[in-house]
């Protein structure tokens, strides 16, 4: 079983409009609503790939009930969310059909009390007993300690469970000290963590800070991976126009699937980039078309990368 942790779950709502204009009224052409938050999106993609997945984190209020109802209907995903008194947040994505661009609005999430955080940590420890890997994903809701991911990574490593960390800001800076097996920042997060805008140098620096492997997501340019076995770039076949919401989560799902299947790194990266690209081409966050994904698998380029000076 793969465990995904989403401390700040969300109900993802996507609006599609013919053209998004500031200070104007818009007629929405399509609305989709999905259980979300980074780890939930990761779990949905992993389940679609045939893996057994358990989702944990927090859920509360009316939005939380809707999220859990939708999660129950997702084949292959087990709900182990911890209830809280606050209300789960919503994230709003507005897709401009004319330009293909997406505008994202993210609510902060409920405030987590000390007793709720303690209940989560107890549940997390129990779930690790049957986990083959764990992904720690997304933002921290108010009330959760900024060093939460570092603590959760250490607990998992002590239990012999490999850890992937995908977060940002202070949670990333503190979380890397927990020595995650895989760190998955995007280019902006990587630069913020290391102070360097040169991807290879920054990725190697991030690895020296504690991560076993760093896989940097570089948007349309694919990914750069610095691992104990070597360094690789993996790129999609062309610049893709679509909804990028959830593409990074599909990338994480591909990395996790490759990890538990013990694939060599070039194959893991091929799968991860193909999944990410297929998600960009999907109209709904965190979903992908299987035929598109399989077509992209054969067209992702993976090349070995020389070390930075």
């Amino acid at each position: 079983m793969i465990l995904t942790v989403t401390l700040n779950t969300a109900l993802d709502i996507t609006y599609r409009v013919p053209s998004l204009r500031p200070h104007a009224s818009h007629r929405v052409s399509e609305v989709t609503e999905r259980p979300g938050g980074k780890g939930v999106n990761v779990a949905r993609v992993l389940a679609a790939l045939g893996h057994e997945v358990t989702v944990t984190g927090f859920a509360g209020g009316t939005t939380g009930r809707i999220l859990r109802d939708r999660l129950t209907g997702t084949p292959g995903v087990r709900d182990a969310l911890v209830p809280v008194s606050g209300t789960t947040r919503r994230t709003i994505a507005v897709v401009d059909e004319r330009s293909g661009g997406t505008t994202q609005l993210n609510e902060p999430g409920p405030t987590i009390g000390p007793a709720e955080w303690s209940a989560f940590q107890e549940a997390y420890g129990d779930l690790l007993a049957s986990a083959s890997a764990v992904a720690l994903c997304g933002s921290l809701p108010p009330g959760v300690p900024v060093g939460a991911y570092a603590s959760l990574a250490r607990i998992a490593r002590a239990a012999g469970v490999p850890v992937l960390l995908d977060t940002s800001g202070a949670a990333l800076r503190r979380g890397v000290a927990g020595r995650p097996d895989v760190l998955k920042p995007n280019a902006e997060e990587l630069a913020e963590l290391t102070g360097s805008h040169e991807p290879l140098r920054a990725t190697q620096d991030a690895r020296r800070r504690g991560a076993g492997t760093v896989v940097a997501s570089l948007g349309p340019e694919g990914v750069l991976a610095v691992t104990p076995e070597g360094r690789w770039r993996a790129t999609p076949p062309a610049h893709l126009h679509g909804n990028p919401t959830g593409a990074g989560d599909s990338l994480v799902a591909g990395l996790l699937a490759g990890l538990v299947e013990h694939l060599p790194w070039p194959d893991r990266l091929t799968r991860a980039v193909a999944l990410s690209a297929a998600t960009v081409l999907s109209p709904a966050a965190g979903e992908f078309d299987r035929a598109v994904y399989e077509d992209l698998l054969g067209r992702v380029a993976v090349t070995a990368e020389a070390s930075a000076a």
Side-chain angles (χ1 to χ4, degrees), residues 195-218:
S196 174
H197 291 271
E198 199 290 307
L200 182 55
R201 192 181 309 279
T203 303
Q204 292 182 143
D205 183 22
R207 185 166 180 257
R208 285 192 291 268
R209 291 168 186 258
T213 286
V214 179
V215 180
S217 173
L218 306 178

Side-chain angles (χ1 to χ4, degrees), residues 59-235:
T62 301
T63 311
R65 286 194 295 273
I66 295 171
L67 183 151
R68 300 188 80 165
D69 286 345
R70 296 293 178 91
L71 206 56
T72 299
T74 305
V77 177
R78 176 189 167 214
D79 174 2
L81 293 167
V82 175
V84 293
S85 59
T87 298
T88 296
R89 66 189 180 131
R90 297 164 296 177
T91 66
I92 312 296
V94 184
V95 179
D96 184 326
E97 294 176 332
R98 178 179 56 81
S99 69
T102 301
T103 299
Q104 190 83 17
L105 303 173
N106 297 327
E107 296 179 354
T111 298
I112 305 302
E116 293 167 334
W117 177 234
S118 295
F120 169 79
Q121 291 178 88
E122 182 177 351
Y124 174 73
D126 292 342
L127 290 166
L128 285 174
S130 56
S132 56
V134 58
L136 307 175
C137 300
S139 62
L140 300 177
V144 171
V146 69
Y149 283 141
S151 298
L152 297 179
R154 291 187 186 104
I155 293 168
R157 287 174 56 81
V161 180
V163 180
L164 184 150
L165 176 62
D166 181 16
T167 187
S168 60
L172 173 59
R173 292 192 299 274
R174 293 286 295 275
V176 72
R179 305 186 67 83
D181 297 88
V182 181
L183 186 69
K184 203 291 295 174
N186 62 29
E188 181 181 345
E189 292 159 354
L190 185 63
E192 183 181 356
L193 175 65
T194 66
S196 174
H197 291 271
E198 199 290 307
L200 182 55
R201 192 181 309 279
T203 303
Q204 292 182 143
D205 183 22
R207 185 166 180 257
R208 285 192 291 268
R209 291 168 186 258
T213 286
V214 179
V215 180
S217 173
L218 306 178
E221 298 177 13
V223 302
L224 173 61
V226 175
T227 83
E229 290 81 28
R231 305 170 178 84
W232 291 273
R233 283 186 188 265
T235 55

Side-chain angles (χ1 to χ4, degrees), residues 11-17 28-34 91-96 101-104 243 245-246 282-286:
L11 187 65
D12 288 340
I13 302 168
T14 301
Y15 295 118
R16 300 184 70 86
V17 298
V28 176
S29 58
E30 182 184 356
V31 181
T32 57
E33 195 174 79
R34 299 286 188 277
T91 66
I92 312 296
V94 184
V95 179
D96 184 326
T102 301
T103 299
Q104 190 83 17
N243 180 3
T245 305
S282 173

Side-chain angles (χ1 to χ4, degrees), residues 267-279:
D267 292 344
R268 296 188 202 185
L269 298 173
T270 297
R271 174 181 293 186
V273 170
L275 278 170
S276 180
T279 302

Side-chain angles (χ1 to χ4, degrees), residues 274-308:
L275 278 170
S276 180
T279 302
V280 170
L281 297 174
S282 173
E287 295 190 358
F288 67 97
D289 183 279
R290 187 80 188 209
V292 172
Y293 161 60
E294 291 176 354
D295 173 67
L296 287 165
L297 270 175
R299 299 195 289 134
V300 173
V302 180
T303 56
E305 187 79 9
S307 174

